[in-house]
Amino acid sequence: MSRFFISILSISLLMSCTSQKASVVSVPQTPTTPTALAMPSSSYWQQHVDYKMEIDMDVNTYQYKGKQKLVYTNNSPDALNKVFYHLYFNAFQPGSEMDVRSRTIADPDGRVKDRISKLNPSEIGYIKVNSLTQNGVSIKYTTVGTVLEVELAKAILPGESVTFDMVFDGQVPVQIRRSGRNNKEGVALSMAQWYPKLAEYDFEGWHADPYIGREFHGVWGDFDVKLTIDKNYLVGGTGYLQNPNEIGHGYETGTIKRPNSDKLTWHFIAPKVHDFTWAADPEYNHDTKQVPNGPLLHFLYKSTMPQEKLENWKNLQPKAVELMQFFNNQVGQYPYKQYSVIQGGDGGMEYGMCTLILGEGSFDGLFGVTAHEMGHSWFQFILASNEARHSWMDEGFTEYIGTLAESHIFNKDFEDLSKRVYGVYSYLAKSGKEQPQTTHSDRYNFNQSYSISAYYKGYVFLKQLAYVIGQENQEKTIKQYFKDFSFKHPRPVDFIRTAEKVSGLELDWYLMDWTQTTNTIDYGVKSIEGKSATIERIGLMPMPIDVAVTYEDDTTENFYIPLQMMRGEKPTTATIIKDWAWAYPTYTFETSKNIKSVEIDPKGLMADIEKENNKK
């Protein structure tokens, strides 16, 4: 989802809460204890689904007819007596849960507000299921808002595959959020969450969440999609086009031989993805850029934009190549052969092999949203965490890696960029509006609280982990996490266990306090007497502590106070002193000379919410 969910004005107002500039810790890059690396549990399982769809789109009425053949493999140890489908387009109807929630939440998204309630029948979205069979046998189903509840004719046993055949009709809504038609930038069709999508079933059971505000979770599988649409429309999205020389439009690999018809059928294959998205417009420009030893990048954007905006899209293309190369190096190799950056006209949102983004902003905005959404190809579309339950795992990690890429490509100070993020988190922590990161994405009292928690507190989780375990260990953790959990549904515990096995440290406390509570970090210098200094823990969250001591002769010495429950230390050049057990509210240590001043966390890498008491 777009990194610009919080307005620039709001962020600038929050920046008054930021503290001094931070800088990089200088430590040896060697784990303290050699350990085995993280591996997924041998008991892990996940479901699999194969979609075949034939879609006929009428660009005049914005209605489409669909046939879907879905082969579902039950890899769980459970017999399934029912299944559920998401019918996301049904959210865009007056009186829907999305509509009512938007009109009753304290701080509604300015792009939605009461717009859904004002849609007339020709402007709403819908997916209407006309028939559904299981292995050729008709089955009962009920549409409940944005969810189709299905009673099976026969239970799906463990290890068994069944075939569901569905016929359905759809109508594309006027664009409100992400999906829709004829948005403010003039894009004809932004087709996200547009088809009946089988809900995920995992060790926690079914995830048939209604579509209320945000975030998704899907079953891994393969897609085979044939889309028939007006021949003048240029299509881009998920998958590999199988008939480029029948289509043309910049996809051709040889002589174009189009059928003599008013419509073209685009045939896409998308292996190993958990969603399928496309966009179409008759006025798209289509450019491509090859990533060396990587995918072919596609850029689809309106040819009718002002020249300045068109130049922004041209200038974006080499930078997008650099982004792909940076993410490959920092996280792991992008596994697909193509990626598309598509003007969709509403914020930014990540999808399999593509993103839909706003297209008419400044170059900085265009680059920023592309960096974030492309980063989601790793943190969500390869590492497919459950966004609804653990939104910080994709939004926060992506915000971090996208900002790191920006600092690298434009030679910006990453610590300075991070200081702004820490400031936004600190604002939330002291606002009285924070909820634990375990809160379901739709269950936050305030949209702003969700945004800061997912994007910025999630960013700080990953950034601060480098302070806890050391920078090199943090970087190794990210790469090992990608290696072990690609094409799976990793959970928070999978990430933190990877960090434990890379670093040799115990880190369950870090995951628990940061994500499952609203406990805050606050340490202060309580007193200095001669060669003795006392530090106090004021907040509830434990942390190891870096301390800089300046002596009366103006020499300095750095100390490291390990947290006892970590059962070890990060790599450091500082003087390591005795462990601090969390339950003790104060900690006193002795030095070799009289002390002039003491400063906690001199690099500013810890998310201490009251930095004023960090120095005496």
Side-chain angles (χ1 to χ4, degrees), residues 9 22 85 126 173 179 239 248 308 443 519 585:
L9 175 60
Y85 288 77
Y126 63 71
S179 310
E308 176 189 357
R443 246 78 96 213
N519 292 345

Side-chain angles (χ1 to χ4, degrees), residues 62 92 97 183 317 381 411 421 529 592:
Y62 302 103
F92 302 104
E97 288 191 75
N183 57 57
Q317 294 169 25
F381 269 92
N411 196 29
V421 176
E529 295 182 10
S592 59

Side-chain angles (χ1 to χ4, degrees), residues 485-511:
F485 294 99
S486 291
F487 302 108
K488 296 180 174 65
H489 292 300
R491 299 165 293 157
V493 69
D494 296 317
F495 180 80
I496 209 66
R497 287 291 289 134
T498 303
E500 287 185 331
K501 292 177 180 180
V502 167
S503 68
L505 301 172
E506 186 172 329
L507 300 169
D508 57 334
W509 59 272
Y510 184 64
L511 177 67

Side-chain angles (χ1 to χ4, degrees), residues 41-150:
S41 167
S42 59
S43 63
Y44 176 83
W45 54 267
Q46 65 187 30
Q47 306 293 64
H48 183 87
V49 64
D50 291 322
Y51 289 89
K52 283 191 176 181
M53 291 189 282
E54 295 180 4
I55 309 299
D56 192 341
M57 170 63 73
D58 186 329
V59 298
N60 297 310
T61 63
Y62 302 103
Q63 295 177 351
Y64 55 101
K65 296 185 178 297
K67 295 180 181 179
Q68 181 188 88
K69 181 180 291 292
L70 188 158
V71 179
Y72 183 56
T73 301
N74 179 17
N75 292 318
S76 82
D78 308 319
L80 304 179
N81 296 303
K82 55 188 176 182
V83 299
F84 301 89
Y85 288 77
H86 296 286
L87 306 176
Y88 289 119
F89 267 9
N90 290 357
F92 302 104
Q93 299 176 9
S96 71
E97 288 191 75
M98 180 182 283
D99 172 36
V100 173
R101 179 61 171 162
S102 180
R103 289 188 283 117
T104 56
I105 195 170
D107 59 338
D109 185 333
R111 296 164 292 192
V112 183
K113 292 186 177 180
D114 63 349
R115 290 178 61 207
I116 298 176
S117 69
K118 298 176 180 178
L119 296 176
N120 64 48
S122 67
E123 295 174 326
I124 66 170
Y126 63 71
I127 298 175
K128 297 179 180 179
V129 177
N130 299 321
S131 65
L132 180 60
T133 64
Q134 174 190 354
N135 291 339
V137 177
S138 295
I139 50 181
K140 296 179 181 179
Y141 56 87
T142 305
T143 298
V144 181
T146 59
V147 175
L148 188 76
E149 300 176 349
V150 181

Side-chain angles (χ1 to χ4, degrees), residues 387-398:
E387 292 181 298
R389 295 197 178 191
H390 313 296
S391 55
W392 60 273
M393 288 186 73
D394 67 293
E395 296 298 355
F397 286 18
T398 299

Side-chain angles (χ1 to χ4, degrees), residues 399-567:
E399 187 69 7
Y400 172 86
I401 205 71
T403 304
L404 188 63
E406 178 183 350
S407 71
H408 173 80
I409 291 171
F410 292 106
N411 196 29
K412 295 181 180 180
D413 187 334
F414 180 57
E415 299 305 326
D416 201 32
L417 295 174
S418 296
K419 181 180 69 172
R420 293 169 53 83
V421 176
Y422 276 58
V424 176
Y425 157 70
S426 182
Y427 160 82
L428 177 64
K430 294 188 284 188
S431 69
K433 298 178 181 180
E434 185 181 10
Q435 294 171 247
Q437 287 182 311
T438 50
T439 303
H440 189 284
S441 293
D442 286 328
R443 246 78 96 213
Y444 282 83
N445 285 326
F446 299 92
N447 278 321
Q448 186 192 63
S449 297
Y450 160 78
S451 300
I452 298 176
S453 181
Y455 291 74
Y456 297 101
K457 190 177 181 182
Y459 178 118
V460 175
F461 174 92
L462 193 55
K463 178 70 171 66
Q464 188 174 242
L465 182 65
Y467 168 82
V468 174
I469 68 175
Q471 183 65 44
E472 185 173 342
N473 283 337
Q474 184 251 33
E475 293 173 3
K476 288 180 179 178
T477 294
I478 294 171
K479 292 180 179 180
Q480 193 65 41
Y481 173 60
F482 177 83
K483 179 180 179 181
D484 290 342
F485 294 99
S486 291
F487 302 108
K488 296 180 174 65
H489 292 300
R491 299 165 293 157
V493 69
D494 296 317
F495 180 80
I496 209 66
R497 287 291 289 134
T498 303
E500 287 185 331
K501 292 177 180 180
V502 167
S503 68
L505 301 172
E506 186 172 329
L507 300 169
D508 57 334
W509 59 272
Y510 184 64
L511 177 67
M512 180 170 59
D513 275 68
W514 192 258
T515 69
Q516 299 174 26
T517 77
T518 55
N519 292 345
T520 57
I521 302 167
D522 183 13
Y523 285 84
V525 181
K526 186 173 184 179
S527 63
I528 300 171
E529 295 182 10
K531 298 178 182 179
S532 176
T534 298
I535 296 171
E536 61 180 334
R537 176 185 53 75
I538 303 164
L540 282 174
M541 182 165 174
M543 287 292 282
I545 303 297
D546 288 344
V547 181
V549 172
T550 300
Y551 296 115
E552 289 185 349
D553 62 5
D554 288 330
T555 59
T556 61
E557 185 174 4
N558 294 322
F559 293 89
Y560 173 63
I561 307 172
L563 178 65
Q564 189 177 86
M565 66 179 71
M566 282 175 62
R567 310 302 170 191

